[in-house]
């Protein structure tokens, strides 16, 4: 049992909790909504969220209240909220649990956000594979509609808030907020060039906020218990609150663990997740999903907060922590992730589209023991020509596995290439080519 | 024709969006649910319903991996091969499919029952190795479990080993009588 007090997982940890509206209300559910809707000015709700220090849990860690504040104040037309439930960053599986076990917690968060930004419609963009999750959300929305939390006159205040589930159809890039909007508009999921940002030109070109599932699930707690309470948890002032970390790989007890930001990787891996499955030492870990550079065991005492992980040369990202034991082939591991990125590049910009194809081919050649020493320079050169030159942040993400494994485990690449060269000495074609 | 067969469903989908085109993916899903894949005839009809050109529909339909433009087997085995699953044995699971069903990724068994696709991360990395079969997830696969899933699918069309509302580690069981 964890020694930390859970916030987001608290309900579902209760024996017998089903996530129904009745269960949710019994634990104080929808009290935050009742407390503010029609009573507290929306700008005050935004102010509370700003004060709490809540930062986005989708990957980039942008302060949530600040993002809401970018919406034009005097704009008359419709505004939209999109809940990002695309969860497709390899290593991440927390939103799925929040959706399937406590859907009303997310709905209450969505309704609070709608109220704060003045949106009458919210769309939950959920990855297509989460069929069960979509059904559970639909059922929860129907329950909340009957109870008067969702609809045209919520809690008899005259305020309208509708929530719809929109299923994606299998494309990692639709987790990127502008690709999500394109996809929601019925188009291919190609990220838009920013600026303009969704805050002014979002869904149907209207002011829009996109927030992650876990970000929204925090809102009822912030409103109920106050911003000071939230800001006192974690690593204040910049990384406040808890986070659900998804631990995968060679640990004894993989799974979702909610801890205050600022605990160390060592504690998360050895105490929460039970340590290594076979008592082999850790060789490497990824601290924040496939897009985050690999770290070595030297970084085990780094704190799990945005700043500390960035200072260690990686990023906290989506909260997916993947642990690899001694003996794992790091070139192979980097190739696996590169294959993912190659498959998922949307193809809009050439550095990413062509670069990912070239990178994957070069990596495959090295792993197949047909590499050459020049390949290592080619890899670095390709990576450097992708970084910072693409439409979306996918470009910076896709080079992380290769750049970071080359940095920490270059001898493994070199060894593979030496083996290739040794084999090539007796390669028949090579012999024939000799003068 | 989708329009006659699913009139209410189509109306309800259209009512959710201020702009018709947003209903495109939901309608493509409806077509896929009806025929097992998205046919050209369905795409043309959807274009008409949404007042789009057929190429506009085709352009979107071809972008998304879950929309099948060709028929797939009755049971679509989708095994995640991304790193987190690979670390704990997803390649072995793909091997089982090869030895037990004789198909590799992208292939369908001669009887049309099973299609195998190796896919990227399905957000079940902590309960790997895993596969999705049609709408259901099966996680923490072992060879014994895998055999049972195949046998049950053939026999009953479904299998009780599929995952329900997901939580891992599992919560404490409810006290009896509580
Ligand atoms: C390639 C890429 C994939 C992303 N995938 C997701 C995702 O699956 N879920 C998510 O919430 N955010 C994802 N994001 C981040 C979103 O663009 C966006 O920052 C986030 O949804 C904002 O919500 P937040 O401020 O609450 O974190 C992704 C970003 C990029 C560049
Ligand atoms: S960086 Fe890659 S994923 Fe992003 S827009 Fe360009 S091609 Fe698409
Ligand atoms: S890596 Fe296989 S489910 Fe995430």
């Amino acid at each position: 049992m964890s020694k930390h007090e859970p916030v987001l997982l608290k309900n579902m940890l209760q024996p017998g909790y089903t996530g129904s509206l009745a269960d949710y209300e019994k634990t104080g559910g929808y009290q935050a909504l009742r407390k503010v809707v029609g009573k507290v000015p929306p700008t005050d709700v935004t102010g509370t969220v700003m004060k709490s220090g809540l930062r986005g849990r989708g990957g980039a860690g942008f302060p949530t209240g600040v993002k809401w504040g970018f919406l034009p104040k005097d704009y008359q037309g419709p505004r939209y909220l999109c809940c990002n439930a695309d969860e497709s960053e390899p290593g991440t599986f927390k939103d799925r649990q929040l959706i399937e076990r406590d859907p009303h917690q997310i709905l209450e968060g969505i309704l609070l956000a709608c109220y704060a930004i003045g949106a009458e419609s919210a769309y939950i963009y959920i990855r297509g594979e989460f069929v069960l999750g979509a059904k559970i959300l639909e059922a929860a929305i129907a329950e909340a509609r009957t109870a008067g939390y969702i609809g045209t006159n919520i809690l008899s205040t005259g305020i309208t808030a509708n929530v719809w589930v929109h299923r994606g159809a299998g494309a990692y890039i639709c987790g990127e907020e502008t690709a999500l909007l394109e996809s929601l508009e019925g188009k291919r999921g190609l990220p838009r060039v920013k600026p303009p940002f969704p805050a002014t030109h979002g869904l149907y070109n209207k002011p829009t906020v996109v927030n992650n599932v876990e970000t929204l699930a925090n809102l009822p707690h912030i409103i109920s218990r106050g911003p000071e309470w939230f800001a006192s948890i974690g690593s204040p002032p910049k990384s406040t609150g808890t986070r659900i970390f998804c631990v995968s790989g060679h640990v004894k007890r993989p799974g979702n663990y909610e801890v205050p930001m600022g605990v160390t990787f060592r504690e998360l891996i050895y105490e929460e997740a039970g340590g290594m499955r076979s008592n082999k030492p850790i060789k490497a870990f990824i601290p924040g999903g496939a897009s985050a550079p690999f770290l070595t065991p030297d970084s085990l005492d780094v704190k799990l907060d945005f700043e500390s992980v960035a200072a260690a040369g990686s990023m906290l990202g989506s909260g997916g922590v993947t642990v690899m034991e001694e003996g794992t082939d790091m070139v192979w591991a980097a190739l696996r992730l590169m294959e993912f990125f190659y498959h998922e590049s949307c193809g809009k910009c050439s550095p990413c589209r062509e670069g990912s194809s070239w990178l994957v081919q070069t990596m495959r050649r090295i792993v197949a023991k047909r590499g050459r020493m020049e390949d290592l320079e080619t890899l670095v050169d390709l990576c450097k020509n992708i970084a910072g030159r693409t439409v979306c942040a996918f470009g910076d993400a896709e080079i992380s596995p290769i750049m970071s494994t080359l940095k920490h485990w270059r001898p493994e690449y070199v060894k593979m290439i030496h083996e290739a060269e040794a084999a090539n000495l007796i390669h028949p074609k090579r012999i024939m080519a000799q003068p | 024709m989708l329009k006659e067969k699913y009139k209410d469903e189509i109306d309800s989908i259209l009512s959710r969006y201020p702009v018709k085109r947003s209903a495109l993916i939901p309608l493509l899903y409806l077509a896929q649910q009806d025929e097992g894949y998205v046919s050209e005839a369905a795409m043309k009809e959807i274009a008409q319903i949404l007042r789009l050109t057929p190429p506009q529909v085709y352009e979107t339909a071809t972008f998304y991996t879950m929309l099948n433009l060709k028929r797939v087997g009755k049971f679509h085995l989708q095994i995640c091969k991304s790193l987190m699953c690979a670390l704990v044995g997803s390649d072995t699971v793909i091997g089982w499919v090869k030895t037990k069903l004789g198909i590799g990724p992208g292939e369908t068994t001669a009887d049309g029952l099973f299609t195998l696709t190796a896919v990227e991360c399905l957000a079940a990395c902590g309960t790997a190795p895993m596969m999705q079969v049609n709408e259901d997830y099966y996680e923490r696969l072992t060879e014994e479990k895998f055999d049972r899933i195949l046998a049950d699918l053939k026999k009953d069309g479904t299998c009780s080993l599929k995952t329900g509302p997901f939580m891992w580690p599992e919560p404490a069981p409810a006290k009896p009588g509580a």
Side-chain angles (χ1 to χ4, degrees):
Chain A
M1 258 317 359
S2 173
K3 60 178 185 246
H4 303 289
E5 190 201 328
V7 177
L8 301 171
L9 302 186
K10 185 167 174 221
N11 289 341
M12 64 184 88
L13 282 164
Q14 308 291 324
Y17 185 80
T18 64
S20 67
L21 178 63
D23 278 9
Y24 184 64
E25 282 179 329
K26 243 183 268 164
T27 63
Y30 288 109
Q31 287 306 322
L33 192 70
R34 288 179 186 280
K35 184 167 149 187
V36 296
V37 170
K39 295 177 187 152
V40 176
T43 44
D44 287 9
V45 177
T46 304
T48 302
V49 174
M50 264 186 212
K51 240 204 279 157
S52 75
L54 174 66
R55 292 171 67 176
R57 304 314 198 215
F62 198 83
T64 306
V66 176
K67 188 193 276 191
W68 296 358
F70 289 151
L71 261 66
K73 305 267 171 311
D74 42 7
Y75 181 84
Q76 288 308 316
R79 300 146 179 259
Y80 295 100
L81 176 77
C82 295
C83 168
N84 191 341
D86 194 56
E87 187 155 73
S88 32
E89 175 82 3
T92 318
F93 45 91
K94 64 188 172 66
D95 296 342
R96 180 175 165 221
Q97 180 166 324
L98 289 170
I99 291 165
E100 296 184 6
R101 286 284 179 159
D102 208 2
H104 285 286
Q105 180 174 237
I106 302 164
L107 291 182
E108 188 175 6
I110 288 173
L111 293 165
L112 285 165
C114 280
Y115 179 68
I117 65 169
E120 295 194 341
S121 300
Y123 293 98
I124 305 177
Y125 186 98
I126 184 168
R127 67 176 296 175
E129 292 87 350
F130 286 177
V131 184
L132 181 63
K135 284 185 187 154
I136 290 174
L137 282 170
E138 301 262 17
I141 290 171
E143 276 185 309
R145 188 180 289 281
T146 310
Y149 297 121
I150 292 179
T152 46
N153 179 21
I154 65 170
L155 298 170
S156 313
T157 53
I159 292 166
T160 296
N162 276 306
V163 185
W164 312 107
V165 176
H166 186 95
R167 289 177 62 210
Y172 166 71
I173 195 60
C174 292
E176 196 280 337
E177 55 184 8
T178 58
L180 182 153
L181 298 175
E182 288 285 303
S183 179
L184 191 43
E185 291 180 6
K187 302 176 193 151
R188 299 173 79 105
L190 307 184
R192 298 175 184 168
V193 176
K194 292 190 265 190
F197 291 94
T200 54
H201 298 75
L203 187 61
Y204 313 123
N205 238 1
K206 302 287 188 282
T208 302
V209 165
V210 182
N211 272 141
N212 168 263
V213 165
E214 186 185 350
T215 311
L216 293 164
N218 272 296
L219 299 174
H221 305 283
I222 292 172
I223 300 299
S224 291
R225 300 169 79 168
E228 293 80 13
W229 160 80
F230 191 83
S232 71
I233 305 173
S235 266
K238 286 201 164 158
S239 296
T240 58
T242 63
R243 265 195 91 161
I244 305 171
F245 292 103
C246 320
V247 189
S248 61
H250 297 145
V251 294
K252 223 171 248 160
R253 291 197 302 268
N256 282 319
Y257 297 97
E258 183 181 12
V259 293
M261 272 197 269
V263 306
T264 64
F265 284 100
R266 191 181 299 282
E267 179 178 340
L268 179 72
I269 294 168
Y270 284 97
E271 289 176 37
E272 301 286 336
M276 301 303 281
R277 61 169 187 186
S278 60
N279 298 322
K280 281 190 201 165
I282 297 182
K283 178 170 182 181
F285 65 98
I286 308 174
S291 304
F294 288 54
L295 292 174
T296 68
D298 290 344
S299 300
L300 276 174
D301 292 308
V302 168
K303 287 183 176 162
L304 282 143
D305 62 45
F306 292 105
E307 278 64 38
S308 307
V309 181
S314 189
M315 61 178 198
L316 197 55
S318 66
V321 178
T322 303
V323 187
M324 286 158 267
E325 67 191 13
E326 202 53 70
T328 308
D329 179 341
M330 300 317 289
V331 188
W332 167 86
L335 170 60
R336 265 304 153 116
L337 288 181
M338 195 57 233
E339 283 178 335
F340 166 81
F341 287 115
Y342 168 60
H343 184 257
E344 300 296 339
S345 168
C346 83
K348 179 164 176 157
C349 45
S350 35
C352 170
R353 182 185 62 241
E354 305 302 324
S356 61
S357 150
W358 205 342
L359 282 171
V360 91
Q361 289 178 49
T362 311
M363 289 293 289
R364 280 187 185 145
R365 188 162 69 219
I366 295 173
V367 170
K369 304 275 166 71
R370 285 187 284 109
R372 302 181 288 260
M373 221 36 123
E374 313 91 85
D375 287 342
L376 298 185
E377 278 157 53
T378 308
L379 288 176
V380 174
D381 193 44
L382 284 165
C383 288
K384 287 195 171 150
N385 278 294
I386 295 173
R389 296 178 191 211
T390 55
V391 170
C392 84
F394 182 103
D396 296 325
E398 72 183 313
I399 66 169
S400 300
I402 293 178
M403 287 301 276
S404 59
T405 50
L406 262 175
K407 176 173 155 201
H408 298 299
W409 297 279
R410 191 184 176 91
E412 293 192 19
Y413 282 82
V414 172
K415 184 162 167 267
M416 271 191 187
I417 291 169
H418 280 323
E419 283 169 16
E421 285 172 345
N424 273 345
L425 284 179
I426 49 162
H427 193 285
K429 275 198 186 141
R430 189 57 83 78
I431 293 169
M432 277 196 297
Q434 304 282 319
Chain B
M1 286 271 128
L2 294 168
K3 219 167 161 176
E4 283 100 63
K5 203 163 159 192
Y6 296 102
K7 188 174 178 312
D8 294 348
E9 212 161 337
I10 293 175
D11 287 345
S12 142
I13 291 170
L14 286 172
S15 74
R16 293 174 211 159
Y17 309 100
V19 175
K20 271 182 184 252
R21 187 171 178 161
S22 278
L24 180 49
I25 292 175
L27 292 187
L28 289 166
Y29 267 129
L30 197 64
Q32 177 154 308
Q33 179 195 316
D34 189 55
E35 288 188 88
Y37 75 113
V38 181
S39 66
E40 210 175 304
M43 286 196 269
K44 284 194 180 134
E45 194 193 338
I46 291 171
Q48 227 174 16
I49 298 174
L50 299 179
R51 300 214 172 96
L52 298 171
T53 62
Q56 282 176 311
V57 174
Y58 191 70
E59 164 186 82
T60 296
T62 49
F63 186 77
Y64 298 94
T65 54
M66 286 180 67
L67 298 171
N68 302 317
L69 299 180
K70 282 190 291 200
R71 282 187 191 284
V72 293
K74 185 169 175 210
F75 303 109
H76 190 182
L77 310 182
Q78 296 158 85
I79 299 175
C80 169
K81 67 168 183 73
S82 297
L83 175 66
M84 296 73 195
C85 281
L87 286 172
V88 293
S90 58
D91 291 354
T92 314
V93 180
I94 292 175
W96 294 335
V97 180
K98 184 90 211 164
T99 46
K100 291 168 207 285
L101 296 173
I103 49 170
E107 295 171 355
T108 302
T109 52
D111 57 9
L113 272 186
F114 295 99
T115 297
L116 172 65
T117 310
V119 299
E120 300 293 352
C121 183
L122 293 181
C125 332
T127 38
M130 65 82 62
M131 69 172 169
Q132 181 166 22
V133 183
N134 301 350
E135 300 195 335
D136 302 318
Y137 274 43
Y138 296 90
E139 298 168 68
R140 293 165 56 79
L141 294 175
T142 59
E143 189 163 9
E144 199 190 336
K145 231 168 140 173
F146 185 79
D147 287 341
R148 202 178 120 203
I149 296 165
L150 289 191
D152 285 6
L153 287 176
K154 275 192 209 163
K155 192 155 59 70
D156 312 323
T158 180
C159 173
S160 60
L161 294 175
K162 67 183 176 203
T163 315
F166 168 75
M167 180 158 179
W168 198 261
E170 281 179 316
K175 283 190 201 80

